[in-house]
């Protein structure tokens, strides 16, 4: 495969409902779509999941645009001027080229994944098969943002359970945690339930966090600080609820250390947070080796990212339902057609797609586009 051209598009898409987390409110989805064109006419797509503000990680859509335009794309163009990518193993070259640049995994992920997507398109290889996936269908849970009151939350949960979602995840924080979980258990009994704290607590809260042990939660996600694997290890030894690490795990090396310390019993893998398919697969493999189940978290992706998440979730270690809900939940008009929909309640099909390009709607990319940059490979 020879890369001919790389296009960066910045989009602003209207969300159906504002998405509220302990970090703030998002009204529009800001997204960068990376397109990789090959000399044979194959096109690969991927999206950058960095948001408007640096709350989930330090990256934003604007910093990612800068990193991609000024560093990452030029570095890949330089490589592509002299090299073809003719085998699976050579895709690792993209990770290698980007690794001297520090941080910025979401920007890196978008570029690496677009190249991988183009490679699968060019070689007519289903993405999930290329990744080593084994599932034809995946179970899906739902992540519910902070709600104005308990009644609204319970109504939403009721609706999602009726639609068939296989697991409910709610956001918690000091002042809206134990009572929220108790109310859900009272209303819905023994449903698969987990909570996400997005680092809202410290180790001083251990006695409080221990109270969650009474509720049989599937897991508690990221209770403590992002950079604090050590205290997560202490906490995990003091509570029964399995801790799931999200923000703390950015690489297979992080996963190895966290598992070694006993800091978690589950890991949430997000392609953007970890830098793309290569690192996500490496984290998955470390976890599988150590018997740590993983699942695929969501970042309010458009259909493009959603399809990639589904393909990743076909890997054997993805034991728990992921956050990849059908697209219609978030966007009036998604970037793909047909949209991602349940094949039966709570389940999505892992379609044998050779890259996501066959599903992307160019007119919808144009509709939401606010900026574009095109980069050509100058062949030596
Ligand atoms: Mg999380």
């Amino acid at each position: 495969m020879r890369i001919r051209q790389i296009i960066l598009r910045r989009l602003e898409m209207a969300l159906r409902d504002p998405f509220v987390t302990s970090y703030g409110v998002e009204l529009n989805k800001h997204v960068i779509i990376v397109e990789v064109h090959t000399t044979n006419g194959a096109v690969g797509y991927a999206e950058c999941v960095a948001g408007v503000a640096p709350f989930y990680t330090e990256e934003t859509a604007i910093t990612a645009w800068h990193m991609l335009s000024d560093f990452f794309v030029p570095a890949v163009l330089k490589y592509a001027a002299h090299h073809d990518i003719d085998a699976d193993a050579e895709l690792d070259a993209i990770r290698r080229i980007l690794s001297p640049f520090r941080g910025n995994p979401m920007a890196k992920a978008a570029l690496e994944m677009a190249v991988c997507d183009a490679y699968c398109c060019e070689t007519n290889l289903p993405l999930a098969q290329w990744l080593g996936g084994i599932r034809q269908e995946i179970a899906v849970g739902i992540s519910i943002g902070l709600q104005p009151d308990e009644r609204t939350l319970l109504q939403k949960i009721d609706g999602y359970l009726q639609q068939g979602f296989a697991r409910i995840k709610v956001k918690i924080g000091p002042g809206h945690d134990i009572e929220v979980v108790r109310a859900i258990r009272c209303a819905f009994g023994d449903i698969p339930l987990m909570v996400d704290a997005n680092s809202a607590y410290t180790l001083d809260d251990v006695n409080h966090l221990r109270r969650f042990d009474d509720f049989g939660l599937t897991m508690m996600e990221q209770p403590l600080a992002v950079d604090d694997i050590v205290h997560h290890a202490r906490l995990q030894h003091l509570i029964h609820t399995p801790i799931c690490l999200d923000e703390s795990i950015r690489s297979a090396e992080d996963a190895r250390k966290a598992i070694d310390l006993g800091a978690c019993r589950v890991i949430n893998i997000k392609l953007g947070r970890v830098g793309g398919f290569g690192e996500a697969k490496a984290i998955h493999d470390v976890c599988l080796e150590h018997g740590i189940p993983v699942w695929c978290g969501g970042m309010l992706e458009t259909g493009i990212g959603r399809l990639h998440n589904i393909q990743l979730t076909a890997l054997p270690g993805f034991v728990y339902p992921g956050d990849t809900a059908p697209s219609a939940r978030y966007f009036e008009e998604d970037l793909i057609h047909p949209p991602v929909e349940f094949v039966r309640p709570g389940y999505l099909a892992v379609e044998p797609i050779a890259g996501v390009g066959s599903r992307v709607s160019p007119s919808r990319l144009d509709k939401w586009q606010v900026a574009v940059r095109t980069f050509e490979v100058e062949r030596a």
Side-chain angles (χ1 to χ4, degrees):
M1 175 177 90
R2 284 187 173 186
I3 297 173
R4 179 176 66 81
Q5 187 186 56
I6 298 175
I7 301 175
L8 303 179
R9 301 178 190 273
R10 254 182 63 208
L11 275 54
E12 287 180 20
M13 298 168 66
L15 283 172
R16 267 197 170 167
D17 297 310
F19 195 74
V20 187
T21 69
S22 57
Y23 296 141
V25 182
E26 284 190 40
L27 297 172
N28 284 308
K29 170 73 180 172
H30 288 236
V31 62
I32 297 167
I33 302 296
V34 181
E35 260 178 57
V36 171
H37 294 250
T38 76
T39 52
N40 284 335
V43 189
Y45 293 87
E47 81 176 77
C48 176
V49 296
V52 179
F55 289 124
Y56 174 71
T57 68
E58 71 284 355
E59 290 183 88
T60 71
I62 299 292
T63 67
W65 184 258
H66 164 52
M67 291 299 155
L68 282 162
S69 306
D70 296 331
F71 299 105
F72 303 161
V73 172
V76 170
L77 291 179
K78 198 170 154 196
Y79 177 82
H82 301 278
H83 298 87
D84 295 349
I85 296 173
D86 292 321
D88 285 19
E90 291 176 20
L91 282 166
D92 236 22
I94 304 300
R95 264 210 293 174
R96 264 200 325 276
I97 293 160
L98 300 180
S99 67
F101 300 103
R102 288 188 191 265
N104 300 283
M106 291 179 182
K108 288 176 180 171
L111 182 54
E112 186 243 20
M113 290 162 64
V115 174
C116 296
D117 195 81
Y119 177 78
C120 286
C121 177
E122 171 128 342
T123 55
N124 199 26
L125 188 63
L127 252 172
Q129 187 188 320
W130 168 69
L131 284 162
I134 55 157
R135 298 177 208 283
Q136 267 96 51
E137 278 185 1
I138 59 164
V140 179
I142 192 85
S143 175
I144 304 174
L146 295 175
Q147 299 299 314
D149 54 67
E150 196 176 285
R151 198 165 144 258
T152 314
L153 176 67
L154 296 180
Q155 275 172 355
K156 288 218 165 184
I157 292 174
D158 191 38
Y160 290 128
L161 290 173
Q162 283 181 30
Q163 289 172 54
F165 283 97
R167 172 271 284 151
I168 299 292
K169 161 170 149 178
V170 292
K171 299 280 183 180
I172 57 161
H176 51 270
D177 48 18
I178 294 284
E179 294 317 314
V180 172
V181 172
R182 193 190 310 279
I184 297 171
R185 279 286 182 239
C186 282
F188 304 105
D190 196 23
I191 56 167
L193 179 65
M194 60 174 286
V195 294
D196 187 357
N198 291 114
S199 302
Y201 301 92
T202 72
L203 197 57
D204 292 341
D205 299 311
V206 60
N207 287 329
H208 181 67
L209 294 172
R210 200 183 267 134
R211 293 173 63 201
F212 285 92
D213 286 349
D214 296 341
F215 296 101
L217 299 173
T218 321
M219 65 192 89
M220 173 188 289
E221 194 176 346
Q222 198 70 41
L224 310 181
V226 172
D227 57 358
D228 200 350
I229 289 179
V230 172
H231 278 184
H232 275 107
R234 283 215 204 142
L235 179 63
Q236 183 65 92
H237 289 110
L238 296 169
I239 66 173
H240 294 299
T241 307
I243 291 176
C244 169
L245 290 178
D246 173 358
E247 289 93 327
S248 292
I249 306 297
R250 294 197 177 200
S251 64
E253 201 42 47
D254 286 345
R256 202 180 292 283
K257 286 170 186 156
I259 294 167
D260 208 45
L261 288 171
C264 62
R265 295 190 195 137
V266 186
I267 287 177
N268 169 351
I269 298 181
K270 291 178 180 168
L271 283 160
R273 190 193 73 228
V274 307
F277 283 129
E279 200 64 38
K281 176 79 161 61
I283 294 172
H284 165 274
D285 293 350
V286 167
C287 290
L288 195 63
E289 186 190 327
H290 291 87
I292 298 289
V294 301
W295 59 283
C296 180
M299 291 291 292
L300 264 184
E301 287 92 346
T302 74
I304 292 174
R306 237 158 257 274
L307 288 174
H308 281 153
N309 287 347
I310 294 166
Q311 299 287 312
L312 178 73
T313 304
L315 288 167
F318 284 80
V319 170
Y320 289 114
D323 265 347
T324 305
S327 341
R329 181 178 176 223
Y330 301 106
F331 304 103
E332 293 290 343
E333 237 194 4
D334 200 356
L335 301 177
I336 59 164
H337 189 77
V340 171
E341 283 173 338
F342 283 152
V343 282
R344 59 193 169 97
Y347 286 85
L348 298 171
V350 180
E351 295 165 64
I353 45 170
V356 301
S358 59
R359 300 280 291 275
V360 173
S361 160
S363 63
R364 291 184 186 174
L365 280 179
D366 286 343
K367 177 174 175 179
W368 301 109
Q369 183 176 298
V370 294
V372 62
R373 281 197 71 177
T374 302
F375 302 81
E376 306 284 343
V377 174
E378 288 175 17
R379 280 256 156 196

